[in-house]
Amino acid sequence: MKGYSSRDVARLLGLTVAQVRAFARDGFLTPGRGAKGALRFSFQDLVILRTAKALVAARIPARRIHRALKKLRLELPRGRSLAELRITAEGDRIVVSDGTTAWNPESGQTHLDFAVSDLATRAAPIARRTAQAARAAEGDLDAGDWYELGLELEAVDPGEARDAYRRALELDAHHADAHVNLGRLLHEQGMVEEAERHYRLALDDDRGHATAAFNLGIALEDLHRAADAIEAYRAALAADPRLADAHFNVARLYEAVGKRAAALKHLGTYKRLTEPR
């Protein structure tokens, strides 16, 4: 389901095909193999390569670039849209931000600032061709294939991504991650009650799915059900005590209902988790 050839990547990013292949050999990308063994790249690979190009242009030593990009690959959110991200530089660290939280893969000092949405716009025509090819071969695809295609399409065409997740669920109604991601895309469309349904279906299949519980909390807040939202955030934290945003959100809700001690406890944990190291 990786939809970009070496030539596509080179054209999108202003690199040579040889440079793309060299970066792929360095081990911080995750290309697949297409027909005759040709490399196929994901949209996440494009984001990493776009960052690599900027670091090379800033004359950062190769060892530091490799260290930064390997960490960036691990830190990029999987199972959520990359198009929301902005990648900048802050001191000697790369900063990846989604508008509410930021994390800092290690890097050398440079000037770096680009919105992933700009890259998504340029990549969209290629991604749509991948989706068309998938529909033509749908009899050969399983639920996992459609889910992976949905991940690839989220940043460039949310409508196609929703369709891919629905197809995944038609083949496997218990695919929790597909429920979560479809729910989030529906939530972004304003279909909050439908999103809530998918989050709960995900939790029915996996009670420890921290992302499903966290997203459910946000949906319940949007539906003005604060008490239920607190319980959802508590469930998210039971599954993942290091989920900083859940600590922040539940602290805010506790403050609103006058539970100041509980609010301060969670806010303190949030600050410890988000302080630069």
Side-chain angles (χ1 to χ4, degrees):
M1 293 297 102
K2 299 178 187 293
Y4 306 91
S5 68
S6 297
R7 195 171 300 278
D8 291 331
V9 174
R11 185 172 65 253
L12 286 166
L13 300 181
L15 298 169
T16 66
V17 171
Q19 285 175 312
V20 172
R21 291 172 178 163
F23 279 126
R25 287 195 297 270
D26 282 341
F28 47 77
L29 302 177
T30 55
R33 293 283 178 176
K36 299 181 180 179
L39 292 174
R40 305 293 296 183
F41 295 87
S42 69
F43 186 77
Q44 178 168 298
D45 291 330
L46 290 186
V47 174
I48 293 171
L49 278 169
R50 173 64 179 81
T51 307
K53 179 184 176 183
L55 295 175
V56 169
R59 301 183 183 278
I60 303 302
R63 183 180 299 176
R64 291 167 70 184
I65 290 175
H66 292 176
R67 187 169 63 233
L69 293 175
K70 285 181 180 179
K71 195 158 195 290
L72 177 60
R73 183 186 68 184
L74 296 174
E75 297 285 346
L76 284 174
R78 192 64 170 154
R80 57 185 283 196
S81 176
L82 296 178
E84 306 164 354
L85 303 180
R86 174 171 287 275
I87 299 179
T88 60
E90 182 178 280
D92 63 351
R93 296 185 297 269
I94 295 174
V95 178
V96 184
S97 172
D98 61 6
T100 57
T101 59
W103 51 102
N104 305 295
E106 185 179 12
S107 172
Q109 186 171 1
T110 184
H111 296 290
L112 177 64
D113 186 352
F114 74 92
V116 175
S117 57
D118 296 338
L119 178 58
T121 298
R122 297 201 304 275
I126 299 169
R128 291 188 185 110
R129 288 201 297 272
T130 301
Q132 290 170 359
R135 284 195 293 270
E138 64 178 305
D140 298 325
L141 304 183
D142 61 18
D145 293 328
W146 283 112
Y147 172 74
E148 290 294 327
L149 181 61
L151 290 177
E152 284 300 299
L153 291 169
E154 278 201 23
V156 296
D157 193 326
E160 291 277 14
R162 288 192 297 272
D163 181 65
Y165 291 137
R166 287 190 177 103
R167 288 171 184 257
L169 291 168
E170 287 171 1
L171 294 171
D172 179 5
H174 300 286
H175 196 305
D177 288 338
H179 277 298
V180 170
N181 289 5
L182 178 56
R184 176 171 40 74
L185 292 175
L186 293 168
H187 197 162
E188 291 169 0
Q189 273 193 302
M191 302 172 66
V192 185
E193 292 178 341
E194 184 67 8
E196 178 193 356
R197 185 177 74 84
H198 282 285
Y199 299 147
R200 291 192 183 281
L201 286 169
L203 289 167
D204 285 345
D205 291 315
D206 182 358
R207 300 302 302 174
H209 201 304
T211 301
F214 176 75
N215 287 2
L216 176 61
I218 295 174
L220 292 168
E221 280 200 73
D222 289 345
L223 293 169
H224 308 292
R225 293 159 57 188
D228 291 337
I230 288 173
E231 291 307 308
Y233 290 136
R234 286 169 56 87
L237 290 171
D240 182 2
R242 297 186 58 80
L243 193 56
D245 286 348
H247 283 289
F248 182 85
N249 288 1
V250 80
R252 177 171 41 75
L253 291 175
Y254 275 140
E255 178 72 22
V257 297
K259 295 185 176 181
R260 185 165 178 75
L264 288 173
K265 176 184 175 183
H266 284 283
L267 189 59
T269 304
Y270 168 78
K271 289 179 178 178
R272 286 195 297 276
L273 291 171
T274 56
E275 284 175 353
R277 296 178 181 177

